Amino acid sequence: MIYGRVALIGLGLIASSMAHAMRRDGTAGEITGTARSAETRDAVRQIGFCDLVTDTAAEAVADADLVVLAVPVGAMEAVAREIGPHLKPGATVTDVGSVKRAVVEAVKPHLAENVHFIPGHPLAGTEHSGPYSGFPELFENRWCILLPDADTDADALDRLTRLWKSMGANVDTMEVDHHDLVLAVTSHCPHLIAYTMVGVADDLRRVTDSEVIKYSAAGFRDFTRIAASDPTMWRDVFLNNKDATLEILGRFTEELFALQRAIRTGDGDHLFDYFERTRAIRRGIIEAGQDTDAPDFGRGTKR
Ligand code: NAP
């Protein structure tokens, strides 16, 4: 056992996956939890991955050794304000939000000095959400980034690191603003591009009837999967990682214009060199074990 009592605030994909993994491994003595709606709380009572589901976050965190904030980024401040006065001295508070600077600013002011706050971000997810979508293998061989600062208690960090490792994650630490820039490149902007491409195709469908669906086997199908991700979560990501995503989108637009010009002027060398460079990046991802070369991207074996 790593923690006696773990409280999960928010009971969706990430929290339910954590609960399933902790139960499988016996790393938490007891798991409490709460969600915003009575519907989700009742669902979790039925599914049974929490020992106790409370109606409020304040009740859920009572006597907890670890509190995990697993709500959309825009809801973090209200939750932190509610739980702040009810935290046990010495408890660790972490979160799983996809953006870090905004979460640190929203949460930290509401926590007492005697509570350890260690922001976190598991780089794992699916396009599904809610309490039924979780599964214990979600974090296996995925990165979990923890964001300690100079004052972070070494024992608290070590314990949280052990928990993520027990769930199969590879743990790394990073500085908060650097995290937001890296994730803008690797996750946030790609999602925005997928949303845009699917939106464009939807406009086109009015002209070409069902062809967009019928012939979507190639790249477009992957875009539709990404573009099916939770609207609340992704709205909050862009509202809260504004500077980094705008910076990366600016660069993206410049490169897109350069490719557009190469197509118009028939500059095949430019296109070829560019595609060769990007292909090498893909090879690097496979070599790093972060994806598979299988034709279905290995999805047949994942949920
Ligand atoms: P999810 O499946 O949509 O679950 C979100 C949970 O938060 C639900 O239980 C929801 O309650 C609760 N909630 C929503 N608004 C709330 C509010 N204002 N106050 C209290 N509770 C509220 O989301 P998720 O995918 O687990 O994501 C949770 C966090 O993990 C987000 O910050 C997200 O950025 C981050 N994250 C997500 C992924 C991913 O791919 N999904 C990956 C890494 C990190 P109800 O069900 O009652 O509405």
Side-chain angles (χ1 to χ4, degrees):
M1 196 200 307
I2 300 174
Y3 291 101
R5 184 184 256 225
V6 175
L8 303 172
I9 312 301
L11 297 169
L13 170 70
I14 302 292
S16 60
S17 296
M18 291 180 76
H20 288 304
M22 288 188 284
R23 293 193 140 218
R24 175 194 62 193
D25 303 333
T27 45
E30 195 183 11
I31 303 174
T32 64
T34 193
R36 173 181 51 176
S37 68
E39 191 188 343
T40 298
R41 296 194 298 267
D42 286 343
V44 175
R45 287 183 185 111
Q46 291 282 318
I47 306 167
F49 60 73
C50 284
D51 298 291
L52 174 70
V53 177
T54 63
D55 287 346
T56 67
E59 291 168 275
V61 303
D63 212 29
D65 303 290
L66 175 69
V67 176
V68 182
L69 309 181
V71 297
V73 169
M76 294 280 181
E77 175 161 29
V79 168
R81 187 183 304 121
E82 180 185 345
I83 64 172
H86 304 278
L87 294 165
K88 177 163 100 170
T92 294
V93 174
T94 189
D95 77 293
V96 294
S98 307
V99 175
K100 297 278 47 109
R101 172 59 61 197
V103 170
V104 170
E105 284 173 6
V107 172
K108 212 171 175 180
H110 300 289
L111 305 184
E113 288 280 312
N114 59 14
V115 167
H116 307 295
F117 177 44
I118 308 175
H121 181 197
L123 306 190
T126 73
E127 69 276 29
H128 302 295
S129 50
Y132 292 101
S133 59
F135 54 102
E137 302 86 11
L138 178 65
F139 309 109
E140 253 159 49
N141 202 28
R142 299 286 153 203
W143 284 102
C144 179
I145 301 173
L146 297 179
L147 302 100
D149 63 21
D151 301 327
T152 302
D153 181 86
D155 288 341
L157 178 61
D158 177 61
R159 231 166 144 194
L160 188 59
T161 302
R162 278 194 288 135
L163 179 69
W164 279 109
K165 285 189 172 167
S166 75
M167 295 190 283
N170 306 311
V171 179
D172 216 345
T173 57
M174 217 182 253
E175 190 276 325
V176 171
D177 293 315
H178 186 64
H179 165 279
D180 287 356
L181 187 64
V182 169
L183 267 290
V185 177
T186 58
S187 169
H188 304 167
C189 289
H191 270 79
L192 197 72
I193 292 160
Y195 280 122
T196 314
M197 200 59 225
V198 173
V200 168
D202 188 48
D203 287 343
L204 195 66
R205 197 175 50 168
R206 282 178 214 130
V207 185
T208 61
D209 226 322
S210 65
E211 282 181 331
V212 169
I213 305 284
K214 189 169 162 192
Y215 299 122
S216 73
F220 185 70
R221 200 176 52 186
D222 287 317
F223 277 135
T224 61
R225 188 184 60 81
I226 296 170
S229 300
D230 188 67
T232 306
M233 168 183 158
W234 284 97
R235 177 202 62 196
D236 285 5
V237 165
F238 292 112
L239 292 180
N240 290 283
N241 197 16
K242 197 171 169 175
D243 293 346
T245 45
L246 289 178
E247 158 76 18
I248 300 304
L249 280 176
R251 288 177 191 223
F252 175 80
T253 316
E254 282 172 23
E255 304 241 346
L256 194 62
F257 276 139
L259 290 174
Q260 203 176 338
R261 192 174 53 240
I263 294 169
R264 184 159 12 86
T265 60
D267 188 349
D269 288 348
H270 181 97
L271 295 172
F272 187 87
D273 291 349
Y274 201 93
F275 300 157
E276 198 169 52
R277 188 156 66 87
T278 54
R279 178 188 247 191
I281 293 171
R282 169 74 190 161
R283 266 192 230 115
I285 291 172
I286 292 166
E287 277 161 25
Q290 290 300 302
D291 206 345
T292 147
D293 215 2
D296 70 345
F297 298 96
R299 249 169 237 132
T301 56
K302 285 185 206 159
R303 261 180 254 196

